[in-house]
Amino acid sequence: MWCYGGGRRYLIVNAIWDVKRNGIYGAIYDIDLERLQAYLEQLDERDISYIKTLEDDREIAEELAQCIECEYCDRTTELFDTEEELWAYVKTIRG
């Protein structure tokens, strides 16, 4: 899932179930498309080399969401009972 964060900034979120605590949290990647080069070292350039040629921001955000690995997230959310609650929280984050 992803969320528009203002300008050309996107919050990419992987929803993760925490079985032990019986809830869900989000691993958040804060991507500024104007500074995308700063993130290339964290990503596999083989997977994202074609992104530079796309012109639609939403399409770029969706492609980024497909290739970012969990270990590179900028932060995580608190634990929520449902994915709907997680998504409602993520939509409140703005740049």
Side-chain angles (χ1 to χ4, degrees), residues 51-90:
I51 290 176
K52 299 172 191 171
T53 66
L54 297 176
E55 295 187 6
D56 181 61
D57 283 356
R58 177 174 174 150
E59 190 172 351
I60 291 173
E62 289 172 346
E63 295 298 333
L64 281 169
Q66 296 301 314
C67 65
I68 296 177
E69 296 180 14
C70 251
E71 63 193 83
Y72 299 120
C73 71
D74 294 298
R75 64 184 184 277
T76 59
T77 69
E78 60 186 87
L79 198 69
F80 294 97
D81 292 328
T82 67
E83 191 167 344
E84 290 76 21
E85 290 174 303
L86 167 65
W87 183 239
Y89 171 76
V90 170

Side-chain angles (χ1 to χ4, degrees), residues 38-57:
Y39 296 96
L40 292 182
E41 64 192 35
Q42 298 177 345
L43 306 172
D44 184 339
E45 291 205 40
R46 180 189 58 218
D47 291 337
I48 65 172
S49 60
Y50 62 93
I51 290 176
K52 299 172 191 171
T53 66
L54 297 176
E55 295 187 6
D56 181 61
D57 283 356

Side-chain angles (χ1 to χ4, degrees), residues 8-12 29-33 36 39 64 68:
R8 284 168 52 82
R9 175 182 173 219
Y10 291 87
L11 302 173
I12 311 297
Y29 314 93
D30 194 344
I31 303 296
D32 180 346
L33 295 179
L36 181 59
Y39 296 96
L64 281 169
I68 296 177

